[in-house]
Amino acid sequence: MTALLLSPVISGCDTSPGDPFTAAQEALASGQPRTALDLVGKAIDADPNDPAVRMLAGDAAIALDNPDRAIAEFQRVPETHTEYSLARAKLAEAQVMGNYMAAAGETVGSLTMNNALAYTATIAFHLANGKIEESYEVLDEGLAKFPDDPRLVTIDAERLWSEGKAEATFARIEPVLALQPVVSQAHLFAGQLRLGLRDVQDAKRHFEKVLSVRPMHQTAMLAMAAIARDGGDTQEAGNWINKANDAGPSHPIGLLFAAQMAFDAGDLLRAFELIESAPSDFAKQPEFTRLRGMIDAGREQHAMASLALSDYVEATGGDPFARQVLANSLAEQQQFDAAWEAIAPLVEHPQSDQKALILALALAEKSGKGDPATIRAKIDARSNAPSLDTEMREAAAAIRAGDWVTAERIYAPLFEGAGQSNPALLNNAAAVKTKLGKHDEAVALARRALAEAPTSPEIQDTLGWALWKSGNKAEARNWLQKAWEGAPGNREIAEHWAIANAS
């Protein structure tokens, strides 16, 4: 659950139409905060001590994701002003936004809890300090006083999602998404949800809503970059990353995207330079350690690669390709026992390709572990099976872009033909059917996939989720439990398990 910051709330002031203050209000209300800030500058020149002008300047600065300017403006609102308590709440959230936590703590401690924004500010402060339970207590107090406040409702929806209550989450957030002016926090949260669910077009619409009122919002820009990248438009992705960097200091996620694109393009030196510049706290995150390991392996720095990829596998359980690269880097260092341990799970993994199995066979023979005969049989079976690499890549691209209909069309002739015994294809086809609401077909395909790879947590999860969506809750929980026990570090599996066990 992420800390939420306030959308601008326009302060009232008795002015005649056409003056800079009124024009600034109108510009901010219409999603033009930069214009609003330019106009409010003229109002400040006319009367630098007008508290309402300072409030509006702070609102415009928040909309431009400029916490330093917002802090300066809200601090200039005098205690005698009628909206002083509101200004203090806005000041606290601007301080949290700028990561001035000591100052934010002092401001939060002095808040008069007579407006919803005071509760939002206090929640944001607690969340930024990792105090989840304290934030929930404040949220409940705030909702008791202001049950319909859109920002508090948004945070409540985030809490429901963290508890695995998917249906309740969407029901809770839906009315807020219909509000005008746009509540940027609600659309940011909804966009993140939809992006995680691969509902790409819906996600994009929500992020566009965020940018319509907060055009310098880095997180929304980076989400747009991710959507463009997954859709195969690397130029557009790069444009969004550049816009995000222009909006403020380089965002770590932007660095990750840029480094990944450089790596995908074969520019290992540029990828290395970018990943090296990531802040240390972010560099420890699994996504960073995985890419760092891949880059190091590509540069034949196998000791560094194995360190990074070992951390990634320990944290997440590892994906097939990361395990394969890790095993190869360990083998390059003559660490054959450790290399076998890295690759052993891939022998039975439905997504293991021929190269992974050949490496597994070599490591089994070098380490004296595993069953070489079984691995040879799998290699022979793969050698005699028709190649589906092209179709699988095309379908994977469609899935990343959220184009479920195209993915279904690609899979359709395969799961009754050349791919009828391919567990990865059957599994992916089942997942696509689930996304399209064809739950009975999804269950049937997932059962076929599981028959081919009965110990795969990924396939157990696909079957469990298809059963869950079809309404067979009891059997769904059984398979989702097995999947979670087999791959507790897999985020999607953990999310499905949490939803099933929260209902």
Side-chain angles (χ1 to χ4, degrees):
M1 183 168 170
T2 54
L4 297 180
L5 301 174
L6 293 176
S7 292
V9 176
I10 300 171
S11 306
C13 183
D14 293 330
T15 61
S16 58
D19 71 348
F21 184 92
T22 301
Q25 283 184 311
E26 292 172 352
L28 188 57
S30 62
Q32 302 175 64
R34 193 180 299 279
T35 300
L37 203 55
D38 290 341
L39 289 166
V40 84
K42 297 178 181 179
I44 290 173
D45 291 341
D47 186 356
N49 297 315
D50 185 340
V53 171
R54 294 296 179 180
M55 289 278 281
L56 182 59
D59 290 339
I62 286 290
L64 288 169
D65 286 81
N66 185 344
D68 291 338
R69 172 70 185 270
I71 290 167
E73 297 297 349
F74 293 135
Q75 284 177 330
R76 296 190 62 146
V77 176
E79 192 171 354
T80 55
H81 184 52
T82 55
E83 293 190 332
Y84 177 72
S85 62
L86 185 62
R88 297 295 292 177
K90 293 183 177 187
L91 171 62
E93 288 212 341
Q95 289 168 331
V96 172
M97 184 180 180
N99 201 32
Y100 301 115
M101 299 310 296
E106 293 180 7
T107 306
V108 164
S110 69
L111 292 180
T112 302
M113 308 302 283
N114 61 357
N115 60 77
L117 302 185
Y119 288 94
T120 304
T122 305
I123 292 166
F125 175 73
H126 286 319
L127 289 174
N129 284 288
K131 297 181 178 180
I132 305 298
E133 293 306 318
E134 288 88 339
S135 72
Y136 287 168
E137 290 175 5
V138 176
L139 174 60
D140 288 334
E141 292 172 7
L143 287 170
K145 287 186 179 180
F146 306 99
D148 299 320
D149 179 77
R151 297 162 191 84
L152 291 174
V153 170
T154 298
I155 302 171
D156 195 30
E158 286 201 325
R159 175 169 58 177
L160 289 168
W161 183 260
S162 72
E163 294 171 349
K165 299 175 181 176
E167 293 182 6
T169 298
F170 287 111
R172 187 75 165 127
I173 198 71
E174 196 63 35
V176 183
L177 297 175
L179 294 177
Q180 291 293 333
V182 167
V183 180
S184 62
Q185 295 90 345
H187 284 278
L188 182 65
F189 174 51
Q192 291 168 330
L193 289 184
R194 292 300 181 187
L195 193 58
L197 295 170
R198 291 288 176 189
D199 296 334
V200 177
Q201 293 308 311
D202 280 346
K204 185 176 181 180
R205 281 191 285 271
H206 287 301
F207 294 128
E208 287 171 342
K209 290 279 191 181
V210 175
L211 292 168
S212 73
V213 293
R214 293 181 65 177
M216 307 301 282
H217 198 293
Q218 284 185 313
T219 302
M221 291 182 192
L222 292 169
M224 295 293 281
I227 291 169
R229 182 197 61 188
D230 288 349
D233 192 341
T234 56
Q235 181 176 348
E236 181 69 4
N239 290 341
W240 278 113
I241 291 169
N242 291 336
K243 288 180 183 178
N245 290 337
D246 289 343
S250 294
H251 195 287
I253 299 302
L255 287 174
L256 179 66
F257 284 173
Q260 182 68 59
M261 287 191 290
F263 177 76
D264 292 342
D267 190 346
L268 295 178
L269 178 59
R270 178 61 177 158
F272 176 75
E273 290 172 346
L274 287 165
I275 207 77
E276 276 285 284
S277 65
S280 58
D281 288 346
F282 282 90
K284 297 174 185 176
Q285 296 300 311
E287 295 84 355
F288 279 85
T289 57
R290 183 188 189 278
L291 181 56
R292 174 61 189 265
M294 294 297 180
I295 294 168
D296 286 336
R299 297 170 64 238
E300 298 189 3
Q301 300 294 316
H302 294 295
M304 295 299 294
S306 58
L307 284 172
L309 290 172
S310 292
D311 288 344
Y312 170 71
V313 168
E314 183 178 354
T316 67
D319 58 86
F321 189 60
R323 280 187 168 274
Q324 181 180 338
V325 175
L326 171 59
N328 186 70
S329 286
L330 290 167
E332 289 286 342
Q333 301 170 76
Q334 308 296 304
Q335 299 180 36
F336 297 119
D337 286 357
W340 167 255
E341 294 301 324
I343 202 139
L346 303 193
V347 173
E348 299 295 335
H349 198 285
Q351 290 180 308
S352 296
D353 60 16
Q354 196 80 325
K355 289 181 180 179
L357 291 172
I358 290 171
L359 178 58
L361 176 59
L363 291 173
E365 292 172 339
K366 285 279 189 180
S367 65
K369 298 182 177 182
D371 183 357
T374 298
I375 301 173
R376 286 193 192 93
K378 289 183 177 293
I379 292 172
D380 291 341
R382 293 288 178 91
S383 299
N384 295 325
S387 174
L388 300 172
D389 289 350
T390 299
E391 292 88 345
M392 292 289 278
R393 282 195 297 269
E394 291 174 350
I399 289 171
R400 284 193 298 272
D403 188 352
W404 306 105
V405 173
T406 295
E408 182 187 38
R409 186 169 64 249
I410 293 169
Y411 286 134
L414 300 175
F415 57 72
E416 296 298 346
Q420 60 183 309
S421 299
N422 185 309
L425 184 144
L426 293 169
N427 177 75
N428 293 353
V432 168
K433 294 286 190 184
T434 296
K435 291 297 296 186
L436 292 172
K438 300 177 181 180
H439 303 308
D440 291 341
E441 294 178 47
V443 169
L445 285 168
R447 291 194 193 280
R448 286 175 55 187
L450 197 63
E452 299 292 336
T455 63
S456 167
E458 291 82 5
I459 296 176
Q460 291 168 348
D461 173 70
T462 298
L463 175 57
W465 192 239
L467 287 163
W468 181 263
K469 300 297 284 186
S470 73
N472 190 341
K473 307 290 188 178
E475 187 182 359
R477 287 193 181 95
N478 177 57
W479 287 115
L480 293 172
Q481 180 69 28
K482 289 182 178 180
W484 180 76
E485 290 172 355
N490 184 301
R491 292 181 181 178
E492 186 172 6
I493 289 175
E495 187 173 279
H496 290 166
W497 178 88
I499 290 172
N501 283 277
S503 301

